[in-house]
Amino acid sequence: MSLTSPPELQFSRTLLDTFIRAALVAILVYSCYQVFHPFLSMMLWALILAVTLYPLHKMLKARLGNRDGRSASLLVVLAIAVLLVPVYFLGTSLTESVQAAIETVKSGSVHIPPPPASIETWPMIGKPLYSFWANAASDLTSVLQSLAPHMKGFTLGLLSKLAGVGAGFLIFIASLVIAGVMMAYGESGHKSAIRIADRIIGHDRSHSFVTLCTATIRAVAQGVIGIAFIQMLVIGIGFVVMGIPGAGLLAMVVLLLGIMQLPLPLITIPVIAFVFFTEGTSVATVIFAIYTFVGGLLDNILKPLLLGRGVDVPMPVILIGALGGMLAGGIIGLFIGPVVLAVGYKLFWQWVDASEKPTVTEIADRAKQDAQ
């Protein structure tokens, strides 16, 4: 009697073992993802910041005696200071403005002029607007009291948005600290990335794809920050020349909005309206309005010029990846989208080029034809 199992039974046992191992691996991967998921956004930001700031880290490292830890720590401290200073002044200015507005309302010194009679003739909204304006001009306190219940939901929503922005800012600071640790171990991290790419796409292409990902992240980051800085200078000069109150603070707000990829007309249009309201219509105000409005839209011209610099991929691929990534994943998608699209673009054309390579038989046939 044979003690060996039939081939069918051995195959079924092997297949069962494979399924069990695959299931255990899938459970392990899912468990690791669940544990790491709360920190995923923060770690992605840290990786993007580390890749972007690493050239500056190398420059500081050369001047600080080739000490990675000291250079990375100094760079993180400087970056946090650059972020906190404008945020502090912005918060202080907003607090003072709100307190001044509250004191003005409490003192009763706010006087709203009566509405022009022509407003009542406006179609659809004329009569309600005239009535509301007239009530506010005669008894502002009662109007504010009647609006208070309606403003409660808006105020709570605004406070929740501000709280979300504050939490996001703290996460960004934490990501910056983690990026400092990554920069301190940058060389070993680069080697690890090469090893992972070797395992995934092969030894012959791993280095080029790691270089492509690094260059894409840096190009997008430098393009975004560079465009935001240029717009801050252009719009800030206009604010200063026109004598806008708090011109420097407003310019810093323009910089922050540009980095966060928010539309700058959010700040330029109210400033233009303020200038027309206080200065009236003149040649200077019209020129300022056109200059400021065009400056707020300047990123639409600069993005195609700056986003794809230094990357071995056509600029439209980077631009589409940045815009599509931002729409799909927010600000962090602005960096991940171009990387994914650039890698996919390169893999696609390598696959196309590989299919066009002649076989050994074709090469021999061509050689015979050339000899004849």
Side-chain angles (χ1 to χ4, degrees):
M1 180 178 180
S2 176
L3 297 177
T4 59
S5 302
E8 295 82 1
L9 183 58
Q10 291 182 354
F11 174 76
S12 61
R13 288 178 178 176
T14 303
L15 185 61
L16 180 61
D17 291 342
T18 303
F19 279 129
I20 292 175
R21 290 171 183 171
L24 292 175
V25 170
I27 293 172
L28 178 61
V29 171
Y30 178 75
S31 301
C32 292
Y33 173 77
Q34 291 286 21
V35 173
F36 189 72
H37 179 68
F39 307 98
L40 180 60
S41 178
M42 184 170 59
M43 295 303 294
L44 286 175
W45 269 120
L47 180 61
I48 292 169
L49 290 170
V51 171
T52 304
L53 297 175
Y54 192 72
L56 185 58
H57 163 72
K58 291 179 67 176
M59 293 174 56
L60 287 175
K61 174 184 172 182
R63 298 187 178 186
L64 295 177
N66 291 325
R67 296 187 178 182
D68 288 292
R70 181 178 297 181
S71 173
S73 300
L74 178 61
L75 189 58
V76 169
V77 171
L78 291 175
I80 292 175
V82 170
L83 288 173
L84 289 180
V85 169
V87 170
Y88 170 76
F89 283 113
L90 178 61
T92 303
S93 176
L94 289 176
T95 303
E96 293 176 353
S97 300
V98 171
Q99 290 177 349
I102 292 174
E103 292 297 329
T104 303
V105 173
K106 286 183 177 179
S107 64
S109 59
V110 179
H111 298 287
I112 298 177
S118 60
I119 292 181
E120 195 171 7
T121 61
W122 290 1
M124 298 183 67
I125 65 170
K127 291 183 178 180
L129 179 59
Y130 182 87
S131 176
F132 177 80
W133 192 338
N135 291 333
S138 59
D139 190 2
L140 180 61
T141 303
S142 62
V143 172
L144 293 177
Q145 289 176 352
S146 64
L147 290 177
H150 303 285
M151 295 295 291
K152 182 179 179 181
F154 172 77
T155 305
L156 292 177
L158 181 60
L159 290 176
S160 64
K161 293 291 185 182
L162 292 176
V165 172
F169 183 75
L170 293 177
I171 291 175
F172 189 80
I173 296 296
S175 301
L176 195 55
V177 174
I178 298 173
V181 178
M182 291 181 177
M183 287 186 291
Y185 295 92
E187 294 182 2
S188 60
H190 180 73
K191 294 177 181 178
S192 299
I194 295 293
R195 290 172 56 195
I196 295 172
D198 284 345
R199 187 74 174 109
I200 296 174
I201 60 177
H203 179 73
D204 55 336
R205 294 182 293 180
S206 59
H207 190 275
S208 62
F209 275 94
V210 170
T211 303
L212 174 65
C213 295
T214 303
T216 304
I217 292 174
R218 288 175 183 165
V220 173
Q222 293 170 4
V224 169
I225 298 173
I227 292 171
F229 187 76
I230 292 172
Q231 288 186 290
M232 180 197 71
L233 288 179
V234 171
I235 297 175
I237 290 172
F239 287 173
V240 172
V241 171
M242 201 63 188
I244 304 297
L249 182 61
L250 290 174
M252 294 304 302
V253 175
V254 169
L255 177 63
L256 294 176
L257 290 178
I259 293 175
M260 293 187 294
Q261 293 297 290
L262 294 176
L264 294 188
L266 290 174
I267 189 71
T268 57
I269 290 178
V271 172
I272 293 172
F274 170 79
V275 170
F276 276 108
F277 183 77
T278 56
E279 303 290 337
T281 303
S282 64
V283 176
T285 54
V286 171
I287 293 175
F288 170 77
I290 296 174
Y291 173 83
T292 304
F293 188 75
V294 172
L297 302 177
L298 198 60
D299 57 329
N300 296 307
I301 301 173
L302 295 177
K303 278 180 181 177
L305 300 177
L306 298 179
L307 281 181
R309 295 184 61 185
V311 181
D312 187 22
V313 168
M315 181 276 301
V317 176
I318 303 298
L319 182 59
I320 293 173
L323 296 177
M326 185 178 63
L327 292 175
I331 298 178
I332 198 167
L334 182 71
F335 300 92
I336 298 176
V339 173
V340 173
L341 207 59
V343 171
Y345 175 86
K346 294 292 288 185
L347 285 174
F348 172 76
W349 282 110
Q350 285 191 0
W351 172 75
V352 171
D353 294 339
S355 65
E356 294 177 351
K357 290 181 179 179
T359 62
V360 177
T361 305
E362 292 174 344
I363 294 174
D365 292 339
R366 290 178 185 177
K368 291 179 181 179
Q369 292 176 1
D370 294 338
Q372 294 175 355

